[in-house]
Amino acid sequence: MSKIFVDACLGKETPYTPVWMMRQAGRYLPEYMAVRAEAGNFLNLCHDPKKACEVTLQPVDIVGVDAAILFSDILVIPDEMGMDLEFIKGFGPKFNDPIKSQDDLDRLRGGKDASDRLTYVYDTIKLIRKELDQRDDNKALIGFCGAPWTLATYMIEGQGTKTYNISKKMMYSNPELLHNILAKVTEVVKYYMEKQIESGIDVVQIFDSWASAIEPSKYNEFSWKYMVEIADYLKSKYPDTPIIMFPKGVPAFLDQVYGNFDVFGVDWSTPMALAKEKLGDRYVLQGNMEPCRLYSKEATTECVEALAEIMKDGRHIFNLGHGILPDVPVENAKHFVSECHRVSKR
Ligand code: CP3
């Protein structure tokens, strides 16, 4: 059965415009909190295929989204390259051994040595695939990875950052080392995503959450070209698997984000009409409601109706313009999904 979400990614006609939400499996769902408590912590949950499968399917069953997204994290890649990942409550991810030199980089695993270690992710995908195939609810499975730049910022800074000053110091004073890091991460991610596809995902999304930290004239060199390299590699092997590119915060870059992919994820700071004008002829557009509108049903309906109007003669997938926040009422997330379906019924 061809899936509505996959068809929409490929620009085909669908009975309505499908919808999913970034970070849809997460803390706003009491059912997620219960499974996470059983697992003990977030990383244990990522490492447990049965539980990861369970939380992947929760938003499909509870909120009614048209696609599940694999439950994992972008940072499992540097973790399996050999960096020591911790998630600290109330603080976020932390690596205690950030990369400072070529020697530090050389000590990390690369290519298949790293990607072959992510067996728990591949096992999770196989379980989800089996579950979805036993249903007849037409839901797709999205696999994902972080863009090399976004991953590199964590590997260099050791944690989240407001200024990116350590990564950018490297960008301007030792670009060769930064490129070596990006190239090594790119190799791992290529094999990782290939294995995700072979394990059963329907669609790939590449998250460049920290795209906006780079000045426009340097964006291609330090981020976009590596994302395109990953997309080209996957398209050469799996031409039928749709690829979604999501560089966050890039209204100024829309003239330089071309490549061999299917869907462009529009973040909430970019007007959808502008994205449509610049990219709508080439790509399906995904997005882009401001996630905080989910606090109000009225604000949600207003935005969904406006997006439907802008995209009425375009190719579109509904989503938020970034991740859902932990204190959003579940009822409001359900309202978002049903409003997207209501306004787009054909
Ligand atoms: O539902 C989904 O979208 C699938 C799962 C998913 C998670 N992380 C689970 C998660 C996905 C796709 C990600 C991607 C991710 N992880 C990104 C890119 C997307 C984005 O939001 O920009 C980034 C930058 C990360 C790194 C990361 N992971 C941070 C900064 C944090 C801490 C912030 C926070 O929200 O606590 C995480 C933890 C994380 N990843 C959680 C979840 C559900 C929260 C962990 C918990 O407390 O249960």
Side-chain angles (χ1 to χ4, degrees):
M1 180 169 60
S2 97
K3 297 192 166 62
I4 288 176
F5 180 75
V6 175
D7 282 350
C9 288
L10 296 171
K12 296 181 188 168
E13 279 282 327
T14 51
Y16 57 85
T17 303
V19 54
W20 68 284
M21 296 182 296
M22 285 185 270
R23 287 287 181 96
Q24 65 189 17
R27 286 170 295 194
Y28 73 104
L29 289 174
E31 293 85 349
Y32 167 83
M33 294 310 284
V35 180
R36 195 185 71 168
E38 273 171 36
N41 64 44
F42 172 67
L43 263 186
N44 286 350
L45 183 49
C46 294
H47 290 160
D48 183 332
K50 233 175 131 225
K51 289 193 169 66
C53 170
E54 188 180 346
V55 297
T56 298
L57 295 173
Q58 283 174 347
V60 172
D61 295 335
I62 299 166
V63 187
V65 287
D66 296 292
I69 179 162
L70 163 71
F71 189 82
S72 183
D73 198 83
I74 59 168
L75 298 177
V76 295
I77 288 286
D79 191 34
E80 295 301 348
M81 289 175 77
M83 297 186 72
D84 195 15
L85 175 63
E86 256 187 291
F87 279 89
I88 299 171
K89 247 200 167 122
F91 176 81
K94 182 146 175 61
F95 293 108
N96 292 313
D97 46 1
I99 301 176
K100 296 193 179 71
S101 66
Q102 185 67 41
D103 279 352
D104 292 343
L105 178 63
D106 291 342
R107 276 194 287 273
L108 299 181
R109 293 180 201 99
K112 291 189 170 144
D113 289 343
S115 61
D116 282 351
R117 296 169 63 90
L118 288 139
T119 50
Y120 48 91
V121 175
Y122 313 132
D123 289 344
T124 303
I125 292 170
K126 287 175 198 156
L127 273 185
I128 305 165
R129 179 82 273 154
K130 220 166 102 197
E131 287 270 338
L132 286 179
D133 288 349
Q134 282 167 1
R135 302 165 166 211
D136 57 358
D137 56 0
N138 203 308
K139 309 287 178 159
L141 176 59
I142 302 165
F144 70 90
C145 59
W149 160 253
T150 288
L151 293 175
T153 62
Y154 285 100
M155 297 166 79
I156 296 164
E157 310 267 346
Q159 60 191 56
T161 165
K162 286 202 168 74
T163 56
Y164 305 87
N165 56 313
I166 312 175
S167 316
K168 293 209 259 182
K169 184 173 177 187
M170 194 183 287
M171 178 182 288
Y172 296 111
S173 58
N174 190 358
E176 194 189 333
L177 177 55
L178 181 52
H179 278 303
N180 290 346
I181 297 171
L182 293 165
K184 192 159 182 169
V185 171
T186 299
E187 281 309 296
V188 180
V189 169
K190 277 185 195 167
Y191 296 132
Y192 178 54
M193 294 318 294
E194 181 174 2
K195 282 255 198 173
Q196 286 197 20
I197 294 172
E198 282 176 0
S199 303
I201 62 165
D202 298 303
V203 174
V204 169
Q205 174 153 321
I206 306 180
F207 287 90
D208 196 6
S209 303
W210 312 139
S212 66
I214 307 181
E215 62 173 314
S217 69
K218 293 283 185 187
Y219 184 61
N220 184 56
E221 179 185 348
F222 287 101
S223 187
W224 187 253
K225 83 168 187 206
Y226 292 99
M227 294 169 73
V228 167
E229 190 181 326
I230 295 162
D232 280 343
Y233 178 79
L234 297 176
K235 281 290 181 190
S236 73
K237 296 202 147 188
Y238 307 96
D240 300 333
T241 301
I243 299 179
I244 306 170
M245 298 288 225
F246 178 64
K248 181 171 179 286
V250 294
F253 304 5
L254 297 178
D255 290 321
Q256 47 169 309
V257 283
Y258 303 133
N260 191 4
F261 61 92
D262 304 275
V263 183
F264 185 83
V266 184
D267 72 89
W268 63 266
S269 73
T270 304
M272 192 53 109
L274 179 67
K276 184 176 175 226
E277 180 195 319
K278 300 268 188 188
L279 299 170
D281 292 344
R282 292 173 187 243
Y283 305 111
V284 177
L285 299 179
Q286 173 177 280
N288 73 340
M289 188 171 90
E290 210 299 22
C292 292
R293 280 187 182 258
L294 283 176
Y295 292 121
S296 152
K297 286 189 183 172
E298 292 72 33
T300 294
T301 293
E302 180 190 57
C303 181
V304 168
E305 286 178 347
L307 286 172
E309 179 59 27
I310 294 164
M311 294 308 296
K312 65 176 188 282
D313 57 348
R315 299 167 301 159
H316 185 213
I317 293 164
F318 280 109
N319 203 320
L320 307 175
H322 200 197
I324 184 170
L325 293 163
D327 59 344
V328 165
V330 179
E331 205 197 315
N332 292 19
K334 289 184 191 170
H335 175 79
F336 171 60
V337 169
S338 62
E339 287 294 79
C340 292
H341 289 160
R342 176 183 67 80
V343 300
S344 66
K345 262 231 151 51
R346 287 180 263 275

